[in-house]
Amino acid sequence: MAALRSLAATVWRAIGGAVQWRLLWLSQATFMVGVVGVIRDDDGRVLLLKHRFWPEGRQWGLPTGYAKRGETFEDTVVREVMEETGLKARVNRLVRVESGFRLRVEIAYEGELLGGTLALDPTEILEAGWFPAEAMPEELMPGHRLLVAATSAGSR
């Protein structure tokens, strides 16, 4: 058995990086990465969006989206905020990483508004607003309510 492991290690080292990565990619689970942004304005209010495609009764939530290949997760937040609202944001810190439903990883960042003019993407977003932590919409996604509460202690 030791000889087999030694042979496997020798072959692994000999095939080189590109082939190693391809074999790992084919043999390992592939995850989608969902990224969420808790974006605050200068008054500490949180940007919330009413999402067109989310379940009835839970349509309000934070800016979210899936990371594209080759995109950093921080860049995903910035891109999603821009695409959904026309606003420019900056990511400040990572606040959560967890496995999600099936083969999905969920990552949340806290960030801040840098500027821009609100211009909603009507395909995805019905409404947007800035909300203080103590006055969130009733239809806010429960997990997003927890994220806002968890990050409120560290906000301005």
Side-chain angles (χ1 to χ4, degrees):
M1 192 52 126
L4 185 57
R5 283 193 296 258
S6 179
L7 176 61
T10 301
V11 170
W12 183 255
R13 284 191 296 270
I15 63 176
V19 175
Q20 287 174 339
W21 278 106
R22 176 56 78 188
L23 289 172
L24 287 171
W25 188 85
L26 292 170
S27 66
Q28 303 301 308
T30 302
F31 290 85
M32 293 189 325
V33 179
V35 184
V36 177
V38 182
I39 306 300
R40 288 194 167 76
D41 67 5
D42 289 338
D43 296 323
R45 298 175 302 171
V46 177
L47 175 63
L48 295 178
L49 310 174
K50 188 170 184 181
H51 298 263
R52 180 180 300 279
F53 300 112
W54 288 15
E56 195 70 36
R58 295 184 303 158
Q59 288 182 282
W60 280 96
L62 298 162
T64 64
Y66 287 104
K68 293 181 177 180
R69 234 180 254 284
E71 182 177 57
T72 68
F73 304 140
E74 296 89 344
D75 287 345
T76 301
V77 172
V78 171
R79 175 181 53 79
E80 286 293 334
V81 170
M82 178 59 76
E83 287 177 2
E84 294 175 346
T85 68
L87 299 173
K88 185 171 170 118
R90 174 177 46 218
V91 171
N92 295 331
R93 70 181 180 104
L94 177 68
V95 294
R96 184 187 76 191
V97 176
E98 64 182 28
S99 61
F101 180 71
R102 297 188 183 177
L103 293 178
R104 184 174 72 203
V105 174
E106 297 173 352
I107 300 176
Y109 287 93
E110 189 170 31
E112 63 186 302
L113 173 69
L114 293 180
T117 303
L118 188 63
L120 301 182
D121 172 2
T123 304
E124 291 186 53
I125 306 302
L126 298 168
E127 296 177 50
W130 293 95
F131 294 85
E134 63 278 357
M136 297 284 144
E138 209 44 49
E139 294 182 337
L140 181 60
M141 186 76 73
H144 290 191
R145 186 178 301 280
L146 292 172
L147 262 176
V148 170
T151 59
S152 290
S155 68
R156 293 165 227 190

